[in-house]
Amino acid sequence: MKIDLTTRIKNLTFRNPITVASGTFGTKDEYSKYVDYEKLGAVITKTITVRPRKGNSMPRICETTGGMLNAIGLQNKGLEDFIENKVPFFAEIDTPLIVNIAGESLDDFRELTKALHQHPDVVKALELNLSCPNVEEGGTSFMKKREIMIDVLKAVRSETDLPLFAKLSPELGDVVEIAGDVISAGADGLSLINTLKGMAIDIYKRRSRIANVTGGLSGPAIKPVALRYVYEVKKYYKVPIIASGGIMTAEDAVEFLIAGADLLAIGTASFVNPRATLDILEGITAFCKKQKIKHIDELRRAFNAEKR
Ligand SMILES: Cc1cc2nc3c(=O)[nH]c(=O)nc-3n(C[C@H](O)[C@H](O)[C@H](O)COP(=O)(O)O)c2cc1C
């Protein structure tokens, strides 16, 4: 039995709903010896900023119960390098690319959008990182104010008609409320959820296990929170959602589809198993076969809200 996993969002068609969470899949070809990128539904890039960023001091990741903490601090080589070196690489790959961007000002967002808009054959959508917990000083934390997020959306919208996904975290406040604001300001969809701020202490050194003291918590520990927001945001707004937050197995992935996710972004799982994306994809297909589901849309929003 052939299972149709085709996923449609606005004018885009994805061969399946599996993608990678920003910042967890290298910056270019790092995963290519484990994963055939052309089997993925989409690739989402690590956050790109206008200027190169060195990121935070090491150590900047550590394992915790049920997850991991990271405080990478948006390390990346900047927009120019992305256009020169990454765009040509992704141009050769027959998989839609979603570029994740962040800025320190509205002008940064405009500049990033203008430049990326000029590569419509490669860049199919933008994901706006409005929610990185690891950049406090001066940097992208300027976005934490709700009015500024709205201005960012308006600024980006005025430069492009590419589909825009606003990436949010509960660190910003009530995600359901903020979702409404960013949709009104021009977002086509949401990316839910970015990491939750946390910490871990080395009890012998009495110090944080990461240099930045706090970091973003990801992995299974945040899955129920992510699932709840995907469900609630979809219920109220019916917009496309890229889900991330502890999707480690095909069963996790199916839960997110039932809650209302359109794309499923695999993050921390790729650190445990670099082939996690494709293993999850195979698991979803096997689940559909067993359940006699012909098209993946039969699972989407199949949540049964009857009282039990
Ligand atoms: C090491 C690491 C780096 C990340 N870098 C970014 C980033 O650059 N931009 C971004 O929007 N999210 C970033 N994230 C957040 C992930 O994209 C994802 O939203 C989050 O980890 C939840 O998914 P998961 O539990 O499957 O990892 C990062 C996460 C990790 C673990």
Side-chain angles (χ1 to χ4, degrees):
M1 180 175 143
K2 176 109 181 73
I3 316 291
D4 191 346
L5 299 175
T6 314
T7 298
R8 289 198 177 78
I9 295 180
K10 290 198 79 177
N11 56 341
L12 301 176
T13 303
F14 304 92
R15 61 174 71 84
N16 64 60
I18 297 295
T19 185
V20 298
S22 177
T24 66
F25 201 72
T27 58
K28 196 171 145 182
D29 57 354
E30 291 92 331
Y31 273 77
S32 51
K33 62 174 186 212
Y34 307 104
V35 174
D36 175 355
Y37 290 16
E38 295 192 350
K39 291 206 165 124
L40 298 171
V43 170
I44 302 181
T45 70
K46 164 95 188 141
T47 295
I48 311 299
T49 52
V50 173
R51 290 160 294 282
R53 288 179 62 95
K54 284 204 303 232
N56 295 324
S57 310
M58 311 255 186
R60 48 193 193 176
I61 55 171
C62 78
E63 216 173 309
T64 62
T65 312
M68 68 186 271
L69 285 172
N70 92 82
I72 307 293
L74 302 186
Q75 179 181 347
N76 78 101
K77 291 188 174 166
L79 177 61
E80 208 177 298
D81 170 80
F82 185 78
I83 303 284
E84 267 172 31
N85 298 315
K86 274 79 177 202
V87 167
F89 170 79
F90 287 107
E92 297 299 315
I93 291 169
D94 181 25
T95 297
L97 185 70
I98 300 175
V99 180
N100 178 305
I101 58 173
E104 294 173 22
S105 64
L106 293 179
D107 280 344
D108 276 5
F109 274 99
R110 280 194 205 99
E111 192 175 335
L112 286 156
T113 309
K114 249 190 213 163
L116 294 165
H117 181 84
Q118 282 162 31
H119 298 275
D121 293 343
V122 184
V123 180
K124 298 298 178 194
L126 298 179
E127 182 177 67
L128 314 185
N129 182 0
L130 305 177
S131 50
C132 181
N134 304 319
V135 278
E136 285 305 332
E137 70 317 315
T140 53
S141 60
F142 95 97
M143 285 175 301
K144 284 197 173 144
K145 291 206 183 85
R146 187 92 52 107
E147 318 80 70
I148 294 184
M149 276 194 265
I150 291 168
D151 290 345
V152 167
L153 252 308
K154 288 185 179 158
V156 171
R157 183 80 290 167
S158 70
E159 299 291 346
T160 189
D161 51 9
L162 284 171
L164 301 179
F165 292 88
K167 185 160 180 180
L168 306 178
S169 152
E171 290 295 326
L172 299 166
D174 183 343
V175 167
V176 182
E177 228 178 276
I178 301 170
D181 290 348
V182 293
I183 293 166
S184 310
D188 298 291
L190 280 309
S191 185
L192 304 172
I193 60 172
N194 208 328
T195 55
L196 295 164
K197 212 168 181 176
M199 68 186 287
I201 295 174
D202 178 328
I203 57 171
Y204 298 101
K205 296 187 182 141
R206 277 74 147 167
R207 286 160 58 156
S208 171
R209 287 171 57 203
I210 48 176
N212 194 53
V213 182
T214 60
L217 178 65
S218 61
I222 69 168
K223 190 187 111 187
V225 180
L227 196 61
R228 169 237 164 161
Y229 279 122
V230 168
Y231 170 71
E232 289 191 345
V233 169
K234 192 68 163 208
K235 184 167 147 194
Y236 292 119
Y237 303 110
K238 317 265 184 300
V239 295
I241 295 179
I242 303 174
S244 70
I247 306 176
M248 309 298 284
T249 64
E251 289 75 16
D252 294 334
V254 171
E255 274 190 78
F256 276 92
L257 289 170
I258 293 171
D262 292 272
L263 290 180
L264 303 161
I266 314 303
T268 300
S270 293
F271 285 76
V272 183
N273 163 19
R275 238 191 75 88
T277 43
L278 298 186
D279 288 351
I280 291 171
L281 180 60
E282 283 161 22
I284 295 174
T285 311
F287 177 84
C288 288
K289 260 187 199 147
K290 246 196 204 153
Q291 294 265 313
K292 303 205 178 355
I293 290 167
K294 287 200 191 108
H295 196 292
I296 194 148
D297 281 347
E298 292 170 44
L299 279 175
R300 286 208 169 90
R301 296 214 63 222
F303 182 73
N304 180 351
E306 272 169 37
K307 284 220 170 72
R308 21 183 336 143

